[in-house]
Amino acid sequence: MGSVLIAWDGSDHAAHALRVAAAELSERTAVVVHVSRSAVDWALAPLLGPMLRMPDVDEAIVAHAQEQLDAGVALATELGFEAIGKLVTSGRPAWHGVLDVAKDVDASIIVAGSHGQSPITAGMLGSSAAGLVQRSHVPVFVVPAPRD
């Protein structure tokens, strides 16, 4: 059996999904993946694309993304996984990066938290979990947000 791929965005929903995965899955090898975007990708990509780069801002974004990833790897390790991290920087929706890593590491399952968006919000903003479920070639374990 391959490794568990954990989609990590640093949110409470992702932490909840990781805890549920640790309790439910027998596989103990995990790859935690965090997908980040550059400043241009976040704010200006629709207008300028890759013509403009902001190195200082991009470096700060990548540093923050690495901190987020490190926190995810630490939590996975604390929960009993033998975990490594993969940081992906992409201008595409996050699910693309997650699926690319899943293929690269030959993941046997992808774990993702659901943010509990309404269908309208998810439709307008996109949903990483929905993108994974619709396009993945391996099983996707979507953990719903905890009920308050």
Side-chain angles (χ1 to χ4, degrees), residues 4 6 8 12-28 75-76 79 81 109 111-114 141-147:
V4 174
I6 300 163
W8 180 260
D12 290 342
H13 301 294
H16 174 68
L18 181 48
R19 286 184 183 95
V20 171
E24 298 293 328
L25 301 175
S26 61
E27 176 61 45
R28 295 286 89 185
L75 180 58
L79 294 170
F81 286 105
I109 190 167
V111 175
S114 170
F141 180 21
V142 178
V143 179
R147 295 191 185 256

mmCIF file of all heavy atoms in Angstrom, residues 4 6 8 12-28 75-76 79 81 109 111-114 141-147:
data_model
loop_
_atom_site.group_PDB
_atom_site.id
_atom_site.type_symbol
_atom_site.label_atom_id
_atom_site.label_comp_id
_atom_site.label_asym_id
_atom_site.label_seq_id
_atom_site.Cartn_x
_atom_site.Cartn_y
_atom_site.Cartn_z
ATOM 1 N N VAL A 4 -0.308 7.780 2.463
ATOM 2 C CA VAL A 4 -1.460 8.665 2.580
ATOM 3 C C VAL A 4 -0.987 10.058 2.170
ATOM 4 O O VAL A 4 0.065 10.510 2.603
ATOM 5 C CB VAL A 4 -1.958 8.701 4.050
ATOM 6 C CG1 VAL A 4 -3.068 9.724 4.222
ATOM 7 C CG2 VAL A 4 -2.395 7.327 4.508
ATOM 8 N N ILE A 6 -1.904 13.904 2.491
ATOM 9 C CA ILE A 6 -2.746 14.775 3.294
ATOM 10 C C ILE A 6 -2.696 16.181 2.717
ATOM 11 O O ILE A 6 -1.634 16.810 2.691
ATOM 12 C CB ILE A 6 -2.288 14.768 4.760
ATOM 13 C CG1 ILE A 6 -2.385 13.339 5.314
ATOM 14 C CG2 ILE A 6 -3.103 15.755 5.587
ATOM 15 C CD1 ILE A 6 -1.608 13.104 6.566
ATOM 16 N N TRP A 8 -3.056 19.859 3.034
ATOM 17 C CA TRP A 8 -2.901 20.688 4.228
ATOM 18 C C TRP A 8 -2.906 22.159 3.857
ATOM 19 O O TRP A 8 -2.093 22.604 3.043
ATOM 20 C CB TRP A 8 -1.587 20.329 4.918
ATOM 21 C CG TRP A 8 -1.333 21.131 6.143
ATOM 22 C CD1 TRP A 8 -0.519 22.227 6.241
ATOM 23 C CD2 TRP A 8 -1.889 20.934 7.437
ATOM 24 N NE1 TRP A 8 -0.546 22.713 7.526
ATOM 25 C CE2 TRP A 8 -1.385 21.932 8.283
ATOM 26 C CE3 TRP A 8 -2.781 20.010 7.965
ATOM 27 C CZ2 TRP A 8 -1.727 22.038 9.620
ATOM 28 C CZ3 TRP A 8 -3.125 20.106 9.292
ATOM 29 C CH2 TRP A 8 -2.599 21.102 10.111
ATOM 30 N N ASP A 12 -8.098 24.880 10.712
ATOM 31 C CA ASP A 12 -8.657 23.957 11.703
ATOM 32 C C ASP A 12 -9.319 22.768 11.019
ATOM 33 O O ASP A 12 -9.294 21.656 11.537
ATOM 34 C CB ASP A 12 -9.682 24.676 12.584
ATOM 35 C CG ASP A 12 -9.041 25.693 13.517
ATOM 36 O OD1 ASP A 12 -7.809 25.617 13.746
ATOM 37 O OD2 ASP A 12 -9.767 26.575 14.018
ATOM 38 N N HIS A 13 -9.902 22.988 9.841
ATOM 39 C CA HIS A 13 -10.545 21.906 9.091
ATOM 40 C C HIS A 13 -9.514 20.877 8.646
ATOM 41 O O HIS A 13 -9.772 19.672 8.704
ATOM 42 C CB HIS A 13 -11.298 22.449 7.880
ATOM 43 C CG HIS A 13 -12.357 23.438 8.227
ATOM 44 N ND1 HIS A 13 -13.479 23.117 8.948
ATOM 45 C CD2 HIS A 13 -12.460 24.757 7.969
ATOM 46 C CE1 HIS A 13 -14.237 24.186 9.111
ATOM 47 N NE2 HIS A 13 -13.631 25.197 8.524
ATOM 48 N N ALA A 14 -8.358 21.346 8.206
ATOM 49 C CA ALA A 14 -7.302 20.431 7.787
ATOM 50 C C ALA A 14 -6.767 19.646 8.983
ATOM 51 O O ALA A 14 -6.503 18.442 8.880
ATOM 52 C CB ALA A 14 -6.172 21.201 7.101
ATOM 53 N N ALA A 15 -6.614 20.301 10.118
ATOM 54 C CA ALA A 15 -6.152 19.621 11.332
ATOM 55 C C ALA A 15 -7.162 18.556 11.764
ATOM 56 O O ALA A 15 -6.783 17.446 12.152
ATOM 57 C CB ALA A 15 -5.908 20.631 12.443
ATOM 58 N N HIS A 16 -8.442 18.891 11.678
ATOM 59 C CA HIS A 16 -9.490 17.922 12.018
ATOM 60 C C HIS A 16 -9.419 16.714 11.082
ATOM 61 O O HIS A 16 -9.486 15.564 11.531
ATOM 62 C CB HIS A 16 -10.865 18.602 11.942
ATOM 63 C CG HIS A 16 -12.010 17.664 12.139
ATOM 64 N ND1 HIS A 16 -12.279 17.052 13.346
ATOM 65 C CD2 HIS A 16 -12.949 17.217 11.266
ATOM 66 C CE1 HIS A 16 -13.339 16.267 13.210
ATOM 67 N NE2 HIS A 16 -13.767 16.360 11.959
ATOM 68 N N ALA A 17 -9.264 16.969 9.789
ATOM 69 C CA ALA A 17 -9.167 15.876 8.813
ATOM 70 C C ALA A 17 -7.958 14.991 9.108
ATOM 71 O O ALA A 17 -8.049 13.760 9.026
ATOM 72 C CB ALA A 17 -9.091 16.437 7.393
ATOM 73 N N LEU A 18 -6.858 15.602 9.461
ATOM 74 C CA LEU A 18 -5.646 14.847 9.780
ATOM 75 C C LEU A 18 -5.870 13.971 11.012
ATOM 76 O O LEU A 18 -5.478 12.801 11.045
ATOM 77 C CB LEU A 18 -4.482 15.811 9.981
ATOM 78 C CG LEU A 18 -3.120 15.223 10.306
ATOM 79 C CD1 LEU A 18 -2.735 14.083 9.389
ATOM 80 C CD2 LEU A 18 -2.078 16.325 10.264
ATOM 81 N N ARG A 19 -6.529 14.516 12.033
ATOM 82 C CA ARG A 19 -6.817 13.728 13.244
ATOM 83 C C ARG A 19 -7.741 12.540 12.928
ATOM 84 O O ARG A 19 -7.542 11.434 13.423
ATOM 85 C CB ARG A 19 -7.438 14.618 14.319
ATOM 86 C CG ARG A 19 -6.438 15.548 14.962
ATOM 87 C CD ARG A 19 -7.059 16.366 16.111
ATOM 88 N NE ARG A 19 -6.084 17.276 16.637
ATOM 89 C CZ ARG A 19 -5.943 18.548 16.271
ATOM 90 N NH1 ARG A 19 -6.759 19.071 15.359
ATOM 91 N NH2 ARG A 19 -5.005 19.308 16.795
ATOM 92 N N VAL A 20 -8.753 12.781 12.119
ATOM 93 C CA VAL A 20 -9.670 11.700 11.739
ATOM 94 C C VAL A 20 -8.919 10.646 10.926
ATOM 95 O O VAL A 20 -9.070 9.438 11.160
ATOM 96 C CB VAL A 20 -10.884 12.249 10.960
ATOM 97 C CG1 VAL A 20 -11.720 11.118 10.364
ATOM 98 C CG2 VAL A 20 -11.745 13.124 11.866
ATOM 99 N N ALA A 21 -8.081 11.072 10.005
ATOM 100 C CA ALA A 21 -7.301 10.130 9.199
ATOM 101 C C ALA A 21 -6.396 9.280 10.080
ATOM 102 O O ALA A 21 -6.277 8.061 9.879
ATOM 103 C CB ALA A 21 -6.479 10.879 8.152
ATOM 104 N N ALA A 22 -5.776 9.902 11.058
ATOM 105 C CA ALA A 22 -4.890 9.156 11.959
ATOM 106 C C ALA A 22 -5.669 8.096 12.731
ATOM 107 O O ALA A 22 -5.143 7.010 12.992
ATOM 108 C CB ALA A 22 -4.196 10.122 12.920
ATOM 109 N N ALA A 23 -6.913 8.393 13.073
ATOM 110 C CA ALA A 23 -7.727 7.445 13.818
ATOM 111 C C ALA A 23 -8.316 6.345 12.937
ATOM 112 O O ALA A 23 -8.510 5.222 13.389
ATOM 113 C CB ALA A 23 -8.863 8.187 14.531
ATOM 114 N N GLU A 24 -8.578 6.658 11.663
ATOM 115 C CA GLU A 24 -9.306 5.733 10.798
ATOM 116 C C GLU A 24 -8.451 4.907 9.843
ATOM 117 O O GLU A 24 -8.868 3.841 9.413
ATOM 118 C CB GLU A 24 -10.348 6.505 9.978
ATOM 119 C CG GLU A 24 -11.407 7.201 10.812
ATOM 120 C CD GLU A 24 -12.324 6.235 11.541
ATOM 121 O OE1 GLU A 24 -12.585 5.135 11.029
ATOM 122 O OE2 GLU A 24 -12.770 6.590 12.650
ATOM 123 N N LEU A 25 -7.281 5.412 9.480
ATOM 124 C CA LEU A 25 -6.469 4.732 8.471
ATOM 125 C C LEU A 25 -5.342 3.942 9.129
ATOM 126 O O LEU A 25 -4.712 4.409 10.072
ATOM 127 C CB LEU A 25 -5.882 5.754 7.494
ATOM 128 C CG LEU A 25 -6.899 6.608 6.729
ATOM 129 C CD1 LEU A 25 -6.186 7.652 5.884
ATOM 130 C CD2 LEU A 25 -7.797 5.731 5.862
ATOM 131 N N SER A 26 -5.068 2.773 8.578
ATOM 132 C CA SER A 26 -4.000 1.944 9.134
ATOM 133 C C SER A 26 -2.633 2.316 8.567
ATOM 134 O O SER A 26 -1.619 2.079 9.219
ATOM 135 C CB SER A 26 -4.287 0.463 8.885
ATOM 136 O OG SER A 26 -4.361 0.215 7.493
ATOM 137 N N GLU A 27 -2.600 2.888 7.376
ATOM 138 C CA GLU A 27 -1.329 3.296 6.770
ATOM 139 C C GLU A 27 -0.674 4.349 7.652
ATOM 140 O O GLU A 27 -1.316 5.290 8.094
ATOM 141 C CB GLU A 27 -1.572 3.849 5.360
ATOM 142 C CG GLU A 27 -0.352 4.393 4.673
ATOM 143 C CD GLU A 27 0.749 3.375 4.469
ATOM 144 O OE1 GLU A 27 0.436 2.242 4.050
ATOM 145 O OE2 GLU A 27 1.907 3.715 4.747
ATOM 146 N N ARG A 28 0.615 4.215 7.886
ATOM 147 C CA ARG A 28 1.317 5.136 8.783
ATOM 148 C C ARG A 28 2.357 5.990 8.070
ATOM 149 O O ARG A 28 3.039 6.779 8.700
ATOM 150 C CB ARG A 28 2.012 4.361 9.921
ATOM 151 C CG ARG A 28 1.040 3.659 10.846
ATOM 152 C CD ARG A 28 0.305 4.611 11.781
ATOM 153 N NE ARG A 28 -0.923 5.100 11.190
ATOM 154 C CZ ARG A 28 -1.725 6.008 11.706
ATOM 155 N NH1 ARG A 28 -1.464 6.568 12.841
ATOM 156 N NH2 ARG A 28 -2.809 6.391 11.097
ATOM 157 N N LEU A 75 2.181 17.914 13.146
ATOM 158 C CA LEU A 75 0.942 17.327 13.650
ATOM 159 C C LEU A 75 0.814 15.879 13.176
ATOM 160 O O LEU A 75 0.447 14.999 13.967
ATOM 161 C CB LEU A 75 -0.272 18.150 13.223
ATOM 162 C CG LEU A 75 -1.633 17.617 13.688
ATOM 163 C CD1 LEU A 75 -1.703 17.510 15.214
ATOM 164 C CD2 LEU A 75 -2.751 18.504 13.158
ATOM 165 N N ALA A 76 1.100 15.623 11.922
ATOM 166 C CA ALA A 76 1.021 14.252 11.402
ATOM 167 C C ALA A 76 1.965 13.324 12.171
ATOM 168 O O ALA A 76 1.584 12.202 12.529
ATOM 169 C CB ALA A 76 1.344 14.234 9.909
ATOM 170 N N LEU A 79 0.659 12.547 15.564
ATOM 171 C CA LEU A 79 -0.478 11.622 15.499
ATOM 172 C C LEU A 79 -0.082 10.214 15.066
ATOM 173 O O LEU A 79 -0.940 9.352 14.881
ATOM 174 C CB LEU A 79 -1.552 12.179 14.564
ATOM 175 C CG LEU A 79 -2.230 13.463 15.053
ATOM 176 C CD1 LEU A 79 -3.100 14.066 13.970
ATOM 177 C CD2 LEU A 79 -3.037 13.187 16.316
ATOM 178 N N PHE A 81 1.995 9.308 12.300
ATOM 179 C CA PHE A 81 2.428 9.091 10.919
ATOM 180 C C PHE A 81 3.937 9.279 10.809
ATOM 181 O O PHE A 81 4.522 10.101 11.512
ATOM 182 C CB PHE A 81 1.753 10.084 9.966
ATOM 183 C CG PHE A 81 0.306 9.809 9.688
ATOM 184 C CD1 PHE A 81 -0.687 10.579 10.275
ATOM 185 C CD2 PHE A 81 -0.068 8.789 8.828
ATOM 186 C CE1 PHE A 81 -2.031 10.346 10.017
ATOM 187 C CE2 PHE A 81 -1.410 8.543 8.561
ATOM 188 C CZ PHE A 81 -2.390 9.317 9.154
ATOM 189 N N ILE A 109 -4.236 7.018 -1.124
ATOM 190 C CA ILE A 109 -5.441 7.738 -0.737
ATOM 191 C C ILE A 109 -5.070 9.188 -0.468
ATOM 192 O O ILE A 109 -3.953 9.484 -0.059
ATOM 193 C CB ILE A 109 -6.117 7.103 0.504
ATOM 194 C CG1 ILE A 109 -7.503 7.719 0.754
ATOM 195 C CG2 ILE A 109 -5.214 7.187 1.724
ATOM 196 C CD1 ILE A 109 -8.347 6.926 1.759
ATOM 197 N N VAL A 111 -6.334 12.563 1.678
ATOM 198 C CA VAL A 111 -7.185 13.036 2.768
ATOM 199 C C VAL A 111 -7.319 14.543 2.636
ATOM 200 O O VAL A 111 -6.317 15.250 2.496
ATOM 201 C CB VAL A 111 -6.578 12.679 4.145
ATOM 202 C CG1 VAL A 111 -7.414 13.278 5.271
ATOM 203 C CG2 VAL A 111 -6.439 11.173 4.298
ATOM 204 N N ALA A 112 -8.553 15.014 2.689
ATOM 205 C CA ALA A 112 -8.802 16.457 2.595
ATOM 206 C C ALA A 112 -9.929 16.832 3.532
ATOM 207 O O ALA A 112 -10.904 16.087 3.682
ATOM 208 C CB ALA A 112 -9.167 16.846 1.162
ATOM 209 N N GLY A 113 -9.797 17.970 4.155
ATOM 210 C CA GLY A 113 -10.864 18.501 4.983
ATOM 211 C C GLY A 113 -11.819 19.311 4.133
ATOM 212 O O GLY A 113 -11.431 19.901 3.131
ATOM 213 N N SER A 114 -13.066 19.312 4.533
ATOM 214 C CA SER A 114 -14.069 20.124 3.861
ATOM 215 C C SER A 114 -14.342 21.343 4.726
ATOM 216 O O SER A 114 -14.501 21.229 5.940
ATOM 217 C CB SER A 114 -15.352 19.319 3.674
ATOM 218 O OG SER A 114 -16.391 20.153 3.233
ATOM 219 N N PHE A 141 -10.554 10.755 0.699
ATOM 220 C CA PHE A 141 -11.246 10.702 1.987
ATOM 221 C C PHE A 141 -11.493 12.139 2.401
ATOM 222 O O PHE A 141 -10.599 12.822 2.865
ATOM 223 C CB PHE A 141 -10.358 9.961 2.974
ATOM 224 C CG PHE A 141 -10.907 9.790 4.376
ATOM 225 C CD1 PHE A 141 -12.259 9.885 4.667
ATOM 226 C CD2 PHE A 141 -10.041 9.514 5.414
ATOM 227 C CE1 PHE A 141 -12.737 9.710 5.948
ATOM 228 C CE2 PHE A 141 -10.498 9.344 6.712
ATOM 229 C CZ PHE A 141 -11.853 9.428 6.972
ATOM 230 N N VAL A 142 -12.731 12.624 2.180
ATOM 231 C CA VAL A 142 -13.089 13.997 2.532
ATOM 232 C C VAL A 142 -13.720 13.972 3.919
ATOM 233 O O VAL A 142 -14.722 13.292 4.141
ATOM 234 C CB VAL A 142 -14.070 14.609 1.511
ATOM 235 C CG1 VAL A 142 -14.464 16.026 1.936
ATOM 236 C CG2 VAL A 142 -13.445 14.634 0.118
ATOM 237 N N VAL A 143 -13.105 14.694 4.826
ATOM 238 C CA VAL A 143 -13.587 14.756 6.201
ATOM 239 C C VAL A 143 -14.355 16.067 6.369
ATOM 240 O O VAL A 143 -13.782 17.144 6.211
ATOM 241 C CB VAL A 143 -12.408 14.692 7.195
ATOM 242 C CG1 VAL A 143 -12.922 14.772 8.636
ATOM 243 C CG2 VAL A 143 -11.588 13.423 6.961
ATOM 244 N N PRO A 144 -15.642 15.967 6.670
ATOM 245 C CA PRO A 144 -16.427 17.192 6.822
ATOM 246 C C PRO A 144 -15.985 17.991 8.055
ATOM 247 O O PRO A 144 -15.430 17.432 9.000
ATOM 248 C CB PRO A 144 -17.862 16.692 6.977
ATOM 249 C CG PRO A 144 -17.754 15.276 7.383
ATOM 250 C CD PRO A 144 -16.443 14.763 6.875
ATOM 251 N N ALA A 145 -16.248 19.271 7.996
ATOM 252 C CA ALA A 145 -15.944 20.131 9.126
ATOM 253 C C ALA A 145 -16.695 19.643 10.347
ATOM 254 O O ALA A 145 -17.830 19.168 10.235
ATOM 255 C CB ALA A 145 -16.345 21.576 8.800
ATOM 256 N N PRO A 146 -16.078 19.750 11.513
ATOM 257 C CA PRO A 146 -16.783 19.306 12.716
ATOM 258 C C PRO A 146 -18.000 20.196 12.991
ATOM 259 O O PRO A 146 -17.986 21.383 12.692
ATOM 260 C CB PRO A 146 -15.735 19.456 13.832
ATOM 261 C CG PRO A 146 -14.728 20.405 13.300
ATOM 262 C CD PRO A 146 -14.765 20.308 11.796
ATOM 263 N N ARG A 147 -19.020 19.590 13.516
ATOM 264 C CA ARG A 147 -20.230 20.356 13.856
ATOM 265 C C ARG A 147 -20.004 21.009 15.198
ATOM 266 O O ARG A 147 -19.517 20.396 16.126
ATOM 267 C CB ARG A 147 -21.447 19.443 13.900
ATOM 268 C CG ARG A 147 -21.753 18.881 12.546
ATOM 269 C CD ARG A 147 -23.109 18.198 12.577
ATOM 270 N NE ARG A 147 -23.335 17.569 11.294
ATOM 271 C CZ ARG A 147 -24.149 18.057 10.385
ATOM 272 N NH1 ARG A 147 -24.802 19.164 10.603
ATOM 273 N NH2 ARG A 147 -24.309 17.447 9.240
#
